[in-house]
């Protein structure tokens, strides 16, 4: 395996990252609003509490008489195993799933609902010309 060629020009994403770093370093707000180490601890605690709450919610959705192949039971079991093996991965996974859910809701709310009566009214004319 060879080392990457660092002599190439930076792409648009690299230039954007460089610009963000430059603006942050030269910002007058950096001295007024320094990074606080306590915030990192609070973010970790909040993420942990959120993951625990979502795990409890998944357990509440499992029916009492759920069989071993019940989807709610399988989801809760996989989340519980994930928590036992790697709590950090569980937090990342739940954050990812929550973001995807939020994005899906955003897209659904921005798309105009289709009128089912109008959907079948328009017919393609491509097949008619080929006959």
């Amino acid at each position: 395996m060879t080392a990457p060629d660092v002599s190439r020009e930076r792409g648009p994403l690299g230039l954007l990252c460089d610009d963000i770093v430059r603006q942050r370093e030269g910002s007058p707000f950096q001295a007024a609003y320094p990074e606080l180490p306590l915030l990192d601890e609070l973010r970790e605690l909040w993420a942990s509490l959120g993951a625990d709450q979502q795990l409890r919610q998944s357990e509440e959705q499992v029916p009492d008489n759920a069989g071993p192949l019940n989807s709610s039971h399988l989801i809760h079991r996989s989340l519980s195993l994930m928590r036992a093996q790697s709590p950090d991965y569980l937090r990342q996974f739940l954050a990812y799933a929550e973001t995807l859910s939020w994005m899906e809701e955003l897209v659904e709310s921005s798309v105009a609902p289709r009128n089912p009566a109008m959907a079948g009214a328009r017919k393609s004319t491509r097949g008619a010309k080929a006959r």
Side-chain angles (χ1 to χ4, degrees), residues 95-106:
Y96 177 72
E98 191 173 317
T99 302
L100 287 177
S101 175
W102 175 79
M103 289 173 63
E104 181 180 30
E105 290 175 10
L106 182 68

Side-chain angles (χ1 to χ4, degrees), residues 1-14:
M1 181 173 230
T2 61
D5 183 14
V6 291
S7 63
R8 293 187 339 202
E9 289 187 31
R10 294 194 41 101
L13 186 58

Side-chain angles (χ1 to χ4, degrees), residues 47-81:
S48 176
L49 290 174
D52 289 343
Q53 179 186 15
Q54 288 176 329
L55 192 61
R56 281 193 303 274
Q57 286 176 351
S58 77
E59 185 177 21
E60 290 171 1
Q61 293 178 0
V62 177
D64 292 334
N65 59 353
L69 297 179
N70 179 284
S71 60
S72 298
H73 178 74
L74 289 172
I75 289 171
H76 177 69
R77 184 168 177 232
S78 64
L79 293 175
S80 297
L81 289 171

